Amino acid sequence: MNSLLLLSIGATLLPIVWTAVPTASISAHVLDISGGSPAKGIQILAYIQKNDAWTNIGAQFTQDNGRVDWVSPNFTLIAGTYRLVYVTKPYYTDKGIDSFYPYVEVVFDIRDPTQHYHVPLTLSPWGYSTYRGS
């Protein structure tokens, strides 16, 4: 579903259209626990496993708040095995910080594709943790 918002700049009204995130979707969030802040600009690649191969279904960057509201906006969820790849090395390289993990892979199963799946990552240069959020 598309939503419309009118933004007023001076005497001009500018329409802003965005697509609402459906319940049947995957979102993500990255928190840099070494600095205690959201991790802005981390690329997250999304895949689904088909037979023995991984098919890319999305590529997004975390926003200022460390979130990606919808990692695969052009893909309708189906039951299956999914993989999110959080590309972490450029994030720490840009900060001039050495890190151990160039990327983090999180693999999970979706049995009910009508639900929302939130996959947060807490990150430091030397470790990470993840869980199914809400």
Side-chain angles (χ1 to χ4, degrees), residues 37-101:
S37 61
K40 174 188 175 188
I42 290 184
Q43 186 175 33
I44 301 175
L45 307 170
Y47 300 88
I48 186 169
Q49 188 174 37
K50 294 186 178 182
N51 301 318
D52 291 331
W54 291 101
T55 300
N56 183 275
I57 58 170
Q60 305 290 329
F61 285 89
T62 56
Q63 304 159 358
D64 290 347
N65 61 4
R67 295 181 180 272
V68 171
D69 298 327
W70 193 3
V71 299
S72 57
N74 298 314
F75 179 81
T76 302
L77 289 186
I78 59 173
T81 300
Y82 290 77
R83 177 176 72 173
L84 297 183
V85 178
Y86 300 76
V87 184
T88 58
K89 185 173 183 134
Y91 171 78
Y92 283 116
T93 298
D94 288 350
K95 293 181 170 299
I97 298 173
D98 262 349
S99 64
F100 188 66
Y101 299 101

Side-chain angles (χ1 to χ4, degrees), residues 21-29 44 67-72 77 84 86 108 116-121 131 133-134:
V21 177
T23 300
S25 63
I26 301 169
S27 62
H29 191 187
I44 301 175
R67 295 181 180 272
V68 171
D69 298 327
W70 193 3
V71 299
S72 57
L77 289 186
L84 297 183
Y86 300 76
F108 54 97
H116 176 74
Y117 295 87
H118 185 61
V119 187
L121 184 74
Y131 57 94
S134 59

